[in-house]
Every structure is written in C-alpha cells, then in structure tokens.
Amino acid sequence: MDHETLRADMVDGLEHALERPLGAAVLDALGTVPRHEFVDDAYEPGSDEVAGSRVLGLRTVARMIAALEAGEGDDTLVVGAGVGYTAAVLAEIVGGRHVHAIDIDRRLVHIARDNLGAAGYDAVLVDCRDGARGYPEYAPFDRVLIESAVHDVPRAIREQLADGGRIVFPRGTTDQTLVAVESAGDSGLDVVGEFGPVGFRPMLVDGEQPSGHERNRTRREDAEFDSQGYFAKTGWEYEWLDWDDRLDSR
C-alpha cells in the first residue's frame, strides 16, 4: 500500500477513534501532509524517537490542531518544533509564512528544517530558542501550540499572545490534560476547553537537551517568579518563617 493511500485510510478513521469532530480543515491538512517525510514508522503512535525527542502520534496531533482552532492567515507559534510535522500540518491551514516553530535543541531544529524543506514547507520558519521565552521578534501570535508539559503558560508567551488569541498546551506533570486558553484582557487567560488526558515530556530550560537526564522545570519557574517580584525582599527563608508563624497563631 502506498503512503498516500495509507494516510487517507488513517485520517478517515480519526474522528471515529477520537469520538469527536475535527473539522474539515484539520482533516484535509492531515490528509495532505506527507507524514512519511517526517518519520519512518508514520502511524505507530509514540513509537518513534528522533534525537531524543518522541515523535507525536497522529491522534495526538489531530487533537492539538483541532483544539487550536486556527484559521487561514493566523500567525502561529509552535513551541517544540520536534521533527516539524505539526508545523507542516498548521502550514496547510494558516499558510507556511504564518507558522513559526522554535525548539531548544539545535539538532532538532536542523532536522525539522530538513524535513519541512523535503516535504515542500520551506516557508515555515524554524529557529533554536528557549521555548519558555517564546519568539518576541515575530509576536504577537494569534495561536500558540506548546508541545511540552507545563504547570502554566510561561509569562513571556502570555505576553506574546494577540488579543483574542488562543494557546493550547498540556497542563500538569504526571496527570496532564490538554487545555485551550484564550486571552481575557487584564484578567489574564481563561480556560475555554479541555481535550482529554495526554502524556508529554516537561518543557526544558536553556542548556538542557532532550537526550539529557536532567529535566529541571524549577529553574525556569524560579526565574519567572523572580522577575515578577514573587519572593519577599528579605529572602524566601524569611517568607517561609513568616508563614509558619501565621499557622502557629491560628
């Protein structure tokens, strides 16, 4: 069976397998992008790893793209370029020049660029960046897709979201849920949808690689708290002691 026929058969059964509508634009994009250009074993969910990064299964990609609700011309950021497949699917929906993908791993950036070029999506921009810092040079973004698990959307990415924009990301650590949030003015972000359990690896920080052992989310979150003046000026130890005194006085 040729790649095109196999791809069509798999896409035809996606809505039934996921028990939810995906929309014509998503199905058309999944049916058009030559997935075999991005991964050898194209239809075995979670079975492939490239440069230490797990290639997402077709059902997971379909859920994320459908949750994003992107339309033609939406400026889109993909945090976690991986092998480039998700960026290619989005390029079919919004247009290649509207897709910006970043990854902290330089090797994966080169792999994604090569794959996208071979598949005919040269217009997609892929750059090596710390995902938690977003891509301010091309902000604001109408849509942001984060392909790594976080407790909350990093501050820099929130600030790069356009008014009325949407972010889709895996929320949590061991128990993760794919959620969609939208900008709500000064009040921050509102959750507008939940799309079931997922299992993503945590977002890396600058200096880490997918093939490494350390996956330290704490350094990124501590830096973010510090930038917001979260900790008391006297130091976290004193803030903790103060809290302890309050408990004892109750």
Side-chain angles (χ1 to χ4, degrees):
M1 186 179 295
D2 61 75
H3 288 295
E4 186 174 348
T5 302
L6 179 58
R7 185 167 65 248
D9 287 346
M10 291 300 297
V11 170
D12 284 344
L14 274 176
E15 288 188 317
H16 176 72
L18 295 173
E19 297 182 341
R20 67 180 66 198
L22 297 174
V26 175
L27 292 172
D28 288 346
L30 292 168
T32 301
V33 176
R35 186 170 164 88
H36 61 277
E37 296 284 1
F38 297 85
V39 55
D40 292 334
D41 189 2
Y43 302 107
E44 187 66 26
S47 66
D48 295 281
E49 288 208 5
V50 176
S53 177
R54 185 174 60 188
V55 178
L56 299 178
L58 194 62
R59 293 182 186 180
T60 301
V61 174
R63 289 166 62 198
M64 293 192 305
I65 301 295
L68 200 61
E69 294 187 359
E72 184 177 356
D74 281 343
D75 286 319
T76 305
L77 175 65
V78 180
V79 179
V83 297
Y85 177 70
T86 306
V89 176
L90 281 169
E92 283 290 336
I93 297 173
V94 304
R97 293 187 179 275
H98 294 282
V99 179
H100 310 76
I102 57 176
D103 204 290
I104 201 168
D105 188 272
R106 193 169 299 277
R107 184 182 174 195
L108 281 172
V109 168
H110 288 299
I111 290 172
R113 286 175 179 170
D114 289 344
N115 289 344
L116 287 161
Y121 299 96
D122 309 75
V124 174
L125 178 62
V126 186
D127 203 355
C128 185
R129 295 296 181 97
D130 181 346
R133 298 177 183 175
Y135 209 1
E137 295 90 336
Y138 292 91
F141 297 101
D142 302 301
R143 295 290 186 270
V144 178
L145 178 60
I146 301 177
E147 294 193 11
S148 54
V150 292
H151 283 294
D152 197 6
V153 177
R155 180 184 182 188
I157 295 178
R158 295 198 304 267
E159 293 175 347
Q160 293 167 29
L161 186 66
D163 291 341
R166 171 178 284 216
I167 303 173
V168 170
F169 69 101
R171 183 178 61 187
T173 52
T174 54
D175 295 321
Q176 300 172 19
T177 301
L178 187 67
V179 301
V181 296
E182 291 185 354
S183 59
D186 295 337
S187 61
L189 300 173
D190 288 339
V191 176
V192 294
E194 296 189 359
F195 302 90
V198 287
F200 282 75
R201 291 172 177 173
M203 179 176 283
L204 302 181
V205 298
D206 198 14
E208 295 179 343
Q209 302 295 325
S211 55
H213 295 293
E214 180 191 16
R215 296 184 179 274
N216 188 359
R217 182 186 299 104
T218 305
R219 280 200 288 140
R220 170 174 58 79
E221 293 181 345
D222 281 353
E224 189 165 317
F225 281 138
D226 185 61
S227 69
Q228 299 175 43
Y230 176 79
F231 296 111
K233 293 180 180 179
T234 51
W236 68 267
E237 320 81 336
Y238 292 96
E239 186 180 50
W240 176 78
L241 287 171
D242 179 60
W243 178 247
D244 195 50
D245 289 341
R246 292 183 193 179
L247 290 177
D248 289 341
S249 65
R250 293 179 61 181

